[in-house]
Amino acid sequence: MKGFKLSLVAMVLALGACASNPKSPSADATPANTVKEEGTAGAMVAENSFEQRDKFESYNRAVFAFNMRLDRWLLKPAAKGYKWLAPEPVEVGVSNFFSNLSEISNVVNDVLQWKWKQAGNDTGRFLVNTTVGVAGIFDVARHAGLEKAAGEDFGQTLAVWGVPQGPYFLLPFLGPSTVTATVGMPVDWYTNPVSYIDDNATSWTVKGVNILQSRAQLLETEKLAKGGDFYIFVRDAYLQRRDFLVKDGQVEDDFGGDFGEKKRASTFRRSFGGEWPTSVGTADTDACQLRVARCLVQRAVIWGEING
């Protein structure tokens, strides 16, 4: 939870920097209107690209409305109750526990994608945290230099094997996905240790706690994601985050110019899920805020991190 809050603070500070950090004037500085036009054009290209991948928009919007109603009347109130009852150390421990379980799926997909170094890292994390970290409640591996990766699933493995990601596809209860990611879900279920709990009551209790914990982490974050067409906001953020995961951080920013260079953003994995420019002029404030907002939802988009 501490890392999550630090990411949230970083995003708020980035928004403040966008609004208050104008570029210093210089002889060869790019005119403000040019920067704004380039940023707007880049954002429009990206948005059009996401729109083209939303071939089932009418269906998706209906499912999105259903999921949001379910969240508003059931999941969100339950998450608020959980957050009120559970002390922060408990929240952190529960989050670490489920994060540790996810390492098994990570290792399987690391191997299938021929990422042996990452497989070794994730295997080490699981072994250390399961033993020394008391069933994963404490993230001891992080202090041993074994950093948590962005995560892998079978949908990403299929994409690495050359299968197109396919159109954006919303699932009732589960939320944002793509056709290929949806096809890969049965494999993800089989690599999830919770699926092998025989007792139904225990299994559903564990799954419920996982969902509540994931939703509780988003209660503060979602306040920064209000306004406009929230469906488009979540769609674009999910697809951008998905592209980042499939390409292992080799992403091309939306806003052109210096932001358009392909960069391997290792620090992005530990914060928003993307890389942020060191300074942005006031002329590009709108694009900057949109980028932060997208990073926000990429990291913890509503429903997007409770698929497991």
Side-chain angles (χ1 to χ4, degrees), residues 96-150:
N96 288 343
F97 172 78
F98 287 107
S99 177
N100 187 55
L101 290 182
S102 70
E103 297 292 3
I104 296 177
S105 179
N106 289 343
V107 172
V108 171
N109 287 286
D110 287 337
V111 172
L112 292 176
Q113 296 176 38
W114 219 249
K115 298 176 181 176
W116 296 106
K117 182 178 180 180
Q118 190 62 53
N121 180 88
D122 296 342
T123 300
R125 281 187 55 83
F126 179 75
L127 294 176
V128 171
N129 286 339
T130 301
T131 54
V132 184
V134 191
I137 295 176
F138 302 100
D139 189 0
V140 180
R142 176 172 57 89
H143 300 288
L146 299 171
E147 293 289 342
K148 175 71 176 177

Side-chain angles (χ1 to χ4, degrees), residues 3-252:
F4 173 81
K5 288 183 176 178
L6 288 175
S7 295
L8 179 60
V9 170
M11 286 181 282
V12 174
L13 291 176
L15 276 172
C18 289
S20 62
N21 185 23
K23 288 183 180 179
S24 301
S26 60
D28 56 349
T30 304
N33 61 338
T34 303
V35 175
K36 185 173 183 179
E37 289 174 2
E38 289 180 352
T40 303
M44 290 176 60
V45 170
E47 185 170 341
N48 290 338
S49 175
F50 294 139
E51 186 176 355
Q52 291 170 4
R53 294 165 66 176
D54 191 4
K55 298 183 182 298
F56 311 119
E57 183 172 351
S58 297
Y59 161 82
N60 287 337
R61 282 188 177 273
V63 174
F64 182 78
F66 168 78
N67 285 348
M68 292 302 293
R69 283 194 295 269
L70 183 68
D71 177 74
R72 183 180 304 113
W73 296 109
L74 178 62
L75 189 55
K76 186 174 181 178
K80 286 183 175 180
Y82 168 83
K83 193 171 184 65
W84 181 76
L85 289 172
E88 184 169 341
V90 173
E91 289 188 61
V92 173
V94 172
S95 178
N96 288 343
F97 172 78
F98 287 107
S99 177
N100 187 55
L101 290 182
S102 70
E103 297 292 3
I104 296 177
S105 179
N106 289 343
V107 172
V108 171
N109 287 286
D110 287 337
V111 172
L112 292 176
Q113 296 176 38
W114 219 249
K115 298 176 181 176
W116 296 106
K117 182 178 180 180
Q118 190 62 53
N121 180 88
D122 296 342
T123 300
R125 281 187 55 83
F126 179 75
L127 294 176
V128 171
N129 286 339
T130 301
T131 54
V132 184
V134 191
I137 295 176
F138 302 100
D139 189 0
V140 180
R142 176 172 57 89
H143 300 288
L146 299 171
E147 293 289 342
K148 175 71 176 177
E152 302 285 352
D153 57 50
F154 194 66
Q156 294 176 55
T157 297
L158 291 175
V160 170
W161 290 353
V163 179
Q165 293 192 61
Y168 179 64
F169 190 63
L170 261 166
L171 299 169
F173 304 103
L174 298 181
S177 185
T178 63
V179 171
T180 300
T182 303
V183 170
M185 281 184 178
V187 177
D188 296 331
W189 293 332
Y190 277 110
T191 56
N192 182 359
V194 177
S195 303
Y196 295 93
I197 299 177
D198 292 330
D199 185 71
N200 287 333
T202 303
S203 177
W204 284 109
T205 299
V206 172
K207 291 176 181 177
V209 171
N210 187 21
I211 290 173
L212 281 178
Q213 169 62 26
S214 300
R215 184 62 182 91
Q217 288 184 319
L218 306 180
L219 289 174
E220 293 298 322
T221 309
E222 65 176 311
K223 295 177 182 179
L224 299 179
K226 298 297 183 182
D229 190 334
F230 196 52
Y231 167 83
I232 293 178
F233 182 81
V234 172
R235 179 198 68 192
D236 291 5
Y238 173 82
L239 290 175
Q240 194 174 30
R241 170 67 173 165
R242 193 69 189 171
D243 289 345
F244 170 83
L245 291 174
V246 168
K247 298 174 183 177
D248 287 330
Q250 290 285 1
V251 293
E252 186 169 348

